């Protein structure tokens, strides 16, 4: 923002003033099910709090994983949430990303 006038400056200032409302988090499914694009993310009470942006099985990790946008209050690692799959809430937990880091040699 220290630079002279540029395209998009007003939009960036508006977003900065509003603050961060949601964050992209990694999800690891704790119950059987695969979270897919567009599925709803629910809190423990069953209220919709966000949505899944992508998800798939991870054969190398032997888990089902996903990325989702949730409010910052639910963004802490270890937070239990549910993903609505075919009308039922399936358990998931917020995990840090990246899901896998290659060990150093």
């Amino acid at each position: 923002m220290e630079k002279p006038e540029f395209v998009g400056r007003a939009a960036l200032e508006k977003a900065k003033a509003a603050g961060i409302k949601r964050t992209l988090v990694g999800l690891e499914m704790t119950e059987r099910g695969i979270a897919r694009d567009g599925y709803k993310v629910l809190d423990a009470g069953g209220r919709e709090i966000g949505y899944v942006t992508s998800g798939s099985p991870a054969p190398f990790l032997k888990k089902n994983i996903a990325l989702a946008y949730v409010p910052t209050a639910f963004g802490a690692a270890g937070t239990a949430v549910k993903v609505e799959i075919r009308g039922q809430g399936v358990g998931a937990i917020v995990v840090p990303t990246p899901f896998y880091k290659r060990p150093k040699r």
Side-chain angles (χ1 to χ4, degrees):
M1 300 301 277
E2 291 79 31
K3 294 183 178 182
E5 198 62 33
F6 58 89
V7 176
R9 180 184 204 110
L12 288 174
E13 288 174 346
K14 182 179 175 186
K16 186 176 182 179
I20 298 172
K21 292 183 176 39
R22 65 182 185 169
T23 184
L24 185 68
V25 297
L27 297 179
E28 179 182 308
M29 303 303 292
T30 57
E31 296 177 13
R32 186 177 171 138
I34 301 171
R36 298 288 188 186
D37 177 34
Y39 284 9
K40 297 175 185 176
V41 178
L42 313 171
D43 65 1
R47 292 182 304 263
E48 181 180 348
I49 58 170
Y51 61 95
V52 175
T53 60
S54 65
S56 68
F60 188 77
L61 299 174
K62 296 182 175 81
K63 301 173 186 173
N64 295 327
I65 57 174
L67 290 173
Y69 276 114
V70 297
T72 55
F74 293 91
T79 304
V81 295
K82 293 185 181 255
V83 177
E84 187 178 291
I85 301 174
R86 296 188 193 104
Q88 296 183 346
V90 179
I93 191 165
V94 176
V95 295
T97 55
F99 297 103
Y100 174 76
K101 288 184 182 177
R102 185 170 50 188
K104 296 184 179 186
R105 294 182 187 206

